[in-house]
Amino acid sequence: MSATLYERIGGEPAVDAAVNIFYRKVLNDHRINRFFDNTDMDKQLAKQKAFFTMAFGGPNNYTGQDMRNAHANLVKTGLNEDHFNAVMEHLGATLTELNVPGDLIAEAAAIAESTRNDVLGK
Amino acid sequence: MYTLTIDQNTYICKSDETVLDALLRENINLSFACKKGTCHSCMVRSANVRPPKAAQSGLKNTQIKQNYFLACQCYPEQDMHLKLPDQSEFYRMGRVITNKLLNRNTILLVVAFEDAFEFNAGQFVNLQRSDGLTRSYSTANIPEQSNTLEFHIRRLPGGVFSSWLHDEVNMGDSIAVSEARGHCFYIPERHEQGILLVGTGTGLAPLAGILTDALANGHTGPIHLFHGSRELEDLYRIDEMRQLAEQHQNFHYTPCLSGSHIPEGFAAGRVNEIALSGIPDLKGWRVFLCGHPDMVNQMKKQAFLKGAAIADIYADAFLISTH
Ligand SMILES: Cc1cc2nc3c(=O)[nH]c(=O)nc-3n(C[C@H](O)[C@H](O)[C@H](O)COP(=O)(O)OP(=O)(O)OC[C@H]3O[C@@H](n4cnc5c(N)ncnc54)[C@H](O)[C@@H]3O)c2cc1C
Ligand code: HEM
Ligand code: FES
């Protein structure tokens, strides 16, 4: 059996490294940081870890419905296509910064992209 | 809705209710302090089924295998038979050898043990009164041959446990002390790394332990301590810290006051803001934050945005739960 994307990217240590870079980018991006401005940083980090584990096709139990539910409150406060694109941008830039090969970045981006309608509640 | 059985008695645990809340509602005397999964004082054991995973988060493997879990984090997924642990499993008795004022509302409490007490400087323990009332307090010294633990305890207006320690606990009294817990301590590696210590009030307790430990381990990188409160009368150990800064050229101490009267030698403003403006970049630094939960939570994010890596930020918020 060939290694999964999650394994090829580097598993949990890669997720941790990615969260460090990604979360800093997101908090510095005025277009979207209001969505992440939860005072409880540990909870936010746990969710960012879940985000990357999922984008890397790693072990998670999220269904499309879960993605809908997780973001439903954000959609109510205005989450839209532009915000989604900004997150995709930071995802790509983060993985580039970590020197992840381009074909693996494309795979991760495709997984994240596939959640677009659920995340945006469409 | 599930039933909880203890010995021959059964109790109802409503949906959306934790095991701890259900038992407290039923007037079962179960000890607890934080209700947040931090202090572990509400640990109980399931005698029949495996507890939900979330209720075992942070426990040791041996405890997980024996089906111990945190009552405050447990929403039952089926009926459960519970064993309330004998508190002596978790606590050992120490003797108070010092109880004296450090400033107008903070005491230094020193507890001595017959033999060595294992802990890392900066970790916290739970103290327990004989009626089961429990609170967490940080250690302020480093493990030494004298087998003592040192605490700095601030009297909160209307606070039950802190008032008891201030007013009723005397030298020679015995007191129950749990194992040491928490991740906020110095690890002797990367000696050249910068260390930032930021605390409010008795947040100085763990920071003093961490500082002593780092210096004793020959840490060579710059160590900056910022200690803040509103008024001068609520700071303490100012002269000792200044002396230490004179003895160690890599240690720097800044006492900070956020009130209106700022004598010479003190920085004016909030301790986290003063710390951030004093250090241009925290990339590669180790950061320790202790004390008021608002300061700790804000500063965590600010330190991260200034470049500190998530794994290098250690924090103890002195949560006060309104029971
Ligand atoms: C990891 C950790 C480490 C800690 N380390 C230290 C330390 O080193 N030193 C230290 O001094 N403290 C420390 N604390 C805080 C300590 O655990 C206690 O929370 C603190 O001493 C207050 O306990 P208390 O019983 O005196 O107050 P409580 O009786 O618990 O009351 C707390 C405050 O809430 C108010 N209050 C109580 N009940 C109500 C109500 N129903 N409605 C509104 N207000 C209410 C009280 O007036 C009081 O001001 C730490 C906490 C944690 C979690
Ligand atoms: C790109 C595709 C996306 C994926 C795969 C994704 C995935 C996830 C996951 C797995 C969680 C955790 C759910 C939980 O356990 O509760 C989560 C939560 C969250 N997501 Fe996303 N997400 C995406 C896009 C976005 C976007 C575009 C935003 C906002 C700009 C966003 C903001 C958040 C926030 C704020 C939370 C936390 C919600 C809470 O506090 O409960 N996400 N996301
Ligand atoms: S861990 Fe349950 S009360 Fe603190």
Side-chain angles (χ1 to χ4, degrees):
Chain A
M1 210 179 88
S2 69
T4 63
L5 174 64
Y6 181 74
E7 288 159 355
R8 281 178 288 149
I9 282 187
E12 193 172 342
V15 169
D16 287 337
V19 167
N20 252 302
I21 298 174
F22 178 80
Y23 191 43
R24 205 169 266 134
K25 286 185 192 300
V26 164
L27 285 180
N28 277 315
D29 183 343
H30 63 271
R31 292 174 294 177
I32 53 172
N33 56 11
R34 69 177 168 98
F35 295 111
F36 297 88
D37 203 19
N38 184 326
T39 45
D40 193 335
M41 185 160 147
D42 298 328
K43 274 197 191 133
Q44 273 300 331
L45 289 170
K47 304 220 158 145
Q48 311 263 329
K49 252 185 115 152
F51 167 79
F52 275 99
T53 304
M54 191 172 168
F56 294 173
N60 74 81
N61 301 312
Y62 291 111
T63 62
Q65 191 57 45
D66 292 335
M67 281 299 94
R68 265 172 204 274
N69 297 342
H71 299 91
N73 273 325
L74 308 177
V75 172
K76 271 190 216 141
T77 60
L79 184 71
N80 64 31
E81 300 280 352
D82 292 340
H83 303 131
F84 192 94
N85 294 341
V87 164
M88 292 300 295
E89 214 178 276
H90 293 311
L91 172 65
T94 299
L95 298 182
T96 306
E97 231 174 287
L98 286 170
N99 296 318
V100 173
D103 51 334
L104 299 191
I105 296 180
E107 272 187 63
I111 294 175
E113 186 59 53
S114 73
T115 67
R116 183 182 287 259
N117 285 342
D118 287 324
V119 167
L120 296 177
K122 299 212 160 145
Chain B
M1 206 169 76
Y2 297 105
T3 62
L4 305 173
T5 308
I6 303 173
D7 300 328
Q8 310 308 325
N9 307 315
T10 58
Y11 310 95
I12 297 295
C13 188
K14 300 178 190 160
S15 47
D16 283 345
E17 196 176 40
T18 63
V19 168
L20 177 65
D21 286 334
L23 295 181
L24 292 177
R25 181 173 48 71
E26 300 275 9
N27 290 318
I28 307 291
N29 188 3
L30 193 61
S31 79
F32 68 98
C34 70
K35 289 195 178 179
K36 288 238 159 62
T38 307
C39 73
H40 291 199
S41 62
C42 65
M43 190 142 58
V44 296
R45 201 160 70 80
S46 162
N48 59 339
V49 297
R50 204 148 266 288
K53 220 170 145 207
Q56 293 189 306
S57 165
L59 299 195
K60 295 182 205 156
N61 281 333
T62 48
Q63 295 168 331
I64 291 174
K65 280 210 192 93
Q66 296 172 69
N67 288 343
Y68 278 101
F69 67 95
L70 302 176
C72 74
Q73 300 298 305
C74 182
Y75 294 94
E77 291 164 349
Q78 52 198 315
D79 292 346
M80 299 178 93
H81 287 254
L82 304 182
K83 280 237 178 299
L84 304 188
D86 180 355
Q87 291 295 318
S88 64
E89 275 179 60
F90 299 132
Y91 287 84
R92 47 192 283 210
M93 298 308 287
R95 188 163 297 282
V96 175
I97 57 168
T98 304
N99 183 344
K100 65 172 189 204
L101 283 175
L102 287 168
N103 66 26
R104 63 179 173 186
N105 57 26
T106 306
I107 51 167
L108 168 69
L109 185 79
V110 184
V111 178
F113 298 86
E114 304 253 317
D115 30 44
F117 193 102
E118 253 181 67
F119 72 106
N120 289 298
Q123 284 190 304
F124 68 88
V125 298
N126 297 323
L127 301 183
Q128 191 168 69
R129 200 163 73 173
S130 56
D131 63 355
L133 191 69
T134 308
R135 294 286 184 275
S136 304
Y137 293 99
S138 307
T139 58
N141 59 326
I142 58 174
E144 293 161 305
Q145 283 157 346
S146 59
N147 300 337
T148 57
L149 291 182
E150 222 180 284
F151 305 98
H152 304 164
I153 290 158
R154 183 184 161 92
R155 180 201 293 275
L156 282 191
V160 183
F161 205 90
S162 59
S163 300
W164 174 69
L165 288 172
H166 274 248
D167 301 335
E168 289 173 50
V169 169
N170 297 308
M171 301 234 302
D173 289 355
S174 40
I175 187 163
V177 183
S178 76
E179 283 184 359
R181 298 195 12 78
H183 307 287
C184 201
F185 57 84
Y186 177 77
I187 298 164
E189 56 181 35
R190 294 185 289 170
H191 287 283
E192 66 304 327
Q193 204 177 14
I195 295 185
L196 174 62
L197 309 164
V198 183
T200 57
T202 46
L204 183 64
L207 298 180
I210 291 163
L211 170 66
T212 314
D213 204 17
L215 292 174
N217 273 287
H219 196 89
T220 54
I223 306 176
H224 287 261
L225 167 64
F226 294 84
H227 185 207
S229 74
R230 243 171 74 79
E231 292 168 9
L232 175 60
E233 289 77 9
D234 295 323
L235 290 180
Y236 57 94
R237 297 236 158 131
I238 300 169
D239 293 337
E240 287 92 327
M241 288 301 161
R242 285 187 171 145
Q243 254 175 25
L244 212 53
E246 276 177 18
Q247 289 160 6
H248 298 267
Q249 59 161 351
N250 63 329
F251 172 56
H252 310 274
Y253 167 61
T254 313
C256 308
L257 297 170
S258 62
S260 52
H261 177 62
I262 318 288
E264 207 184 310
F266 293 81
R270 293 195 177 278
V271 66
N272 50 325
E273 276 146 28
I274 295 168
L276 287 166
S277 66
I279 299 171
D281 183 357
L282 289 174
K283 197 164 189 176
W285 282 60
R286 231 186 287 186
V287 180
F288 294 88
L289 309 169
C290 302
H292 199 287
D294 290 345
M295 184 285 286
V296 168
N297 287 331
Q298 261 184 35
M299 183 64 188
K300 241 193 223 175
K301 201 180 269 183
Q302 290 165 328
F304 172 67
L305 284 174
K306 266 222 157 172
I310 291 159
D312 280 335
I313 302 176
Y314 301 84
D316 262 346
F318 287 4
L319 297 166
I320 292 167
S321 61
T322 36
H323 302 290

